[in-house]
Amino acid sequence: MACAVTLKAPSRLHFGLVDLGGVTRRAFGGAGCFLQHPSTLIRFSPLQTNLCIGEGTPDHFRADLDVALAALQTRFPDAIGEVEILETPDSHTGLGSKTSAVLGCLKSVVLGNALCVDDDELKRMSRRGGASGVGVHGFFEGGMIVDCGHSERPHGPWLPSGAYDIEALPVKAVRLPMPPSWKVHLMAPRGSIVSGETERAFFEEATPLAREEVLQTLAAIWHGIVPAVLGRDLELFRESLRDLSRCGLKEKELQAQPNSRHLLTRIDDIGKLAAGMSSMGPLVYAVSESSSSAAEPLEELCKELDAIYIGTTTFANSGYTVT
């Protein structure tokens, strides 16, 4: 018998993608981490005799949810209930809301119907993770994820994640807990929402990346961000995110978001803050020690630059939760 489920999924920061140039033996790959807030809240109700999407679910999620839930229903024809997204961060701002929403809906239906299915099968049903596996792996585990992308290079231009219908999941290389003594400040400068055909056109113009750009990105992640998190070294984390912003795809993403790039330059002037732009932006994040009084100068800076200081949160070192 089906039962009610309320599921909360953390949001995601994506530091950057790696190989969009065919330089290494892997395609794409990336690094990112998860946040306690904002989060995606999903409710599953066993009141329906079929499987359906609740009326309150935002329209821009419905096409992806239809595909994912159809795959689940094919596997489990007797699954029933209504799944509804109650709260979610804005789409295409850098917080990974679509991956959290699709996987959250799938998982809530599975839990509500007591279905036996492993996490990797749900990841494949979600059709997410076409470029980087940060979102699909971190939904279940939280913390920081570094993945090695896919074994096959795309046949044609390098495109955003949603353009690929994947069969094999991106390989997770590292999952690390983020330091609990660090806190995160989120800011939203005025900028473009890059999605759909605009995002596709950006990727076609910005890639393929040169060999040097890919290797610099690899160095910033594997010999910078990873040891910084392992050693809880905020200064190394700061320097590594700065290095990442000056090479590879991340440099080009920032060129497409001049207000985010300017805000990061000004944050760097404050000092002792590790900062970057998540995914295609325009969301900007800054990481400080929990004892730091960084909130006040960042709020003042946002007022000066006509940006929104969203607030302060902490890292999520676990994945989704259920009540």
Side-chain angles (χ1 to χ4, degrees), residues 65 86 99 147 159 163 203 229 311:
L65 287 176
L86 303 178
T99 298
D147 79 276
L159 298 174
F203 270 73
V229 172

Side-chain angles (χ1 to χ4, degrees), residues 191-245:
S192 303
I193 301 299
V194 183
S195 64
E197 289 303 314
T198 304
E199 186 179 21
R200 185 185 181 102
F202 168 83
F203 270 73
E204 289 180 344
E205 183 177 347
T207 62
L209 297 178
R211 177 181 178 83
E212 183 179 357
E213 293 179 294
V214 172
L215 297 181
Q216 286 174 338
T217 301
L218 279 168
I221 292 173
W222 285 102
H223 280 201
I225 290 172
V226 169
V229 172
L230 278 168
R232 302 186 178 188
D233 186 337
L234 186 61
E235 181 58 25
L236 178 58
F237 194 53
R238 175 178 180 242
E239 293 169 353
S240 303
L241 287 175
R242 187 196 297 137
D243 290 344
L244 190 62
S245 72

Side-chain angles (χ1 to χ4, degrees), residues 47-313:
L47 304 178
Q48 301 292 331
T49 56
N50 60 340
L51 189 57
C52 63
I53 301 170
E55 291 184 1
T57 298
D59 290 341
H60 55 270
F61 289 126
R62 288 180 177 271
D64 294 272
L65 287 176
D66 282 340
V67 172
L69 292 175
L72 185 66
Q73 189 112 61
T74 299
R75 175 80 163 77
F76 300 99
D78 295 331
I80 63 167
E82 177 186 86
V83 64
E84 184 173 12
I85 299 172
L86 303 178
E87 297 175 12
T88 182
D90 291 339
S91 293
H92 304 296
T93 58
L95 287 167
S97 60
K98 184 171 285 187
T99 298
S100 293
V102 173
L103 279 169
C105 286
L106 285 171
K107 189 65 180 181
S108 64
V109 173
V110 166
L111 294 171
N113 284 272
L115 305 176
C116 185
V117 53
D118 65 33
D119 292 343
D120 281 353
E121 188 172 357
L122 286 186
K123 293 171 189 177
R124 284 188 286 270
M125 287 180 185
S126 76
R127 303 284 185 93
R128 308 299 295 169
S132 168
V134 171
V136 293
H137 296 309
F139 169 85
F140 294 93
E141 301 180 57
M144 183 177 80
I145 303 289
V146 183
D147 79 276
C148 294
H150 298 271
S151 60
E152 292 189 13
R153 299 171 186 171
H155 302 292
W158 298 82
L159 298 174
S161 179
Y164 299 104
D165 188 8
I166 65 164
E167 294 184 6
L169 293 171
V171 173
K172 180 184 66 178
V174 170
R175 186 271 173 195
L176 296 172
M178 293 298 290
S181 64
W182 293 358
K183 63 182 177 183
V184 190
H185 309 264
L186 300 178
M187 292 150 281
R190 293 185 182 275
S192 303
I193 301 299
V194 183
S195 64
E197 289 303 314
T198 304
E199 186 179 21
R200 185 185 181 102
F202 168 83
F203 270 73
E204 289 180 344
E205 183 177 347
T207 62
L209 297 178
R211 177 181 178 83
E212 183 179 357
E213 293 179 294
V214 172
L215 297 181
Q216 286 174 338
T217 301
L218 279 168
I221 292 173
W222 285 102
H223 280 201
I225 290 172
V226 169
V229 172
L230 278 168
R232 302 186 178 188
D233 186 337
L234 186 61
E235 181 58 25
L236 178 58
F237 194 53
R238 175 178 180 242
E239 293 169 353
S240 303
L241 287 175
R242 187 196 297 137
D243 290 344
L244 190 62
S245 72
R246 295 173 178 173
C247 66
L249 191 70
K250 182 54 65 180
E251 181 180 32
K252 300 175 192 298
E253 289 172 339
L254 280 164
Q255 289 170 354
Q257 297 283 13
N259 290 340
S260 298
R261 182 174 57 178
H262 182 54
L263 178 56
L264 283 173
T265 300
R266 295 291 303 276
I267 291 172
D268 203 38
D269 293 338
I270 295 174
K272 297 184 178 180
L273 294 170
M277 182 180 77
S278 182
S279 191
M280 288 288 299
L283 183 89
V284 167
Y285 58 90
V287 181
S288 69
E289 292 287 355
S290 59
S291 58
S292 166
S293 56
E296 185 175 342
L298 288 173
E299 286 187 70
E300 290 300 317
L301 180 59
C302 285
K303 288 178 184 177
E304 178 189 340
L305 299 181
D306 195 23
I308 298 171
Y309 181 78
I310 298 172
T312 304
T313 185

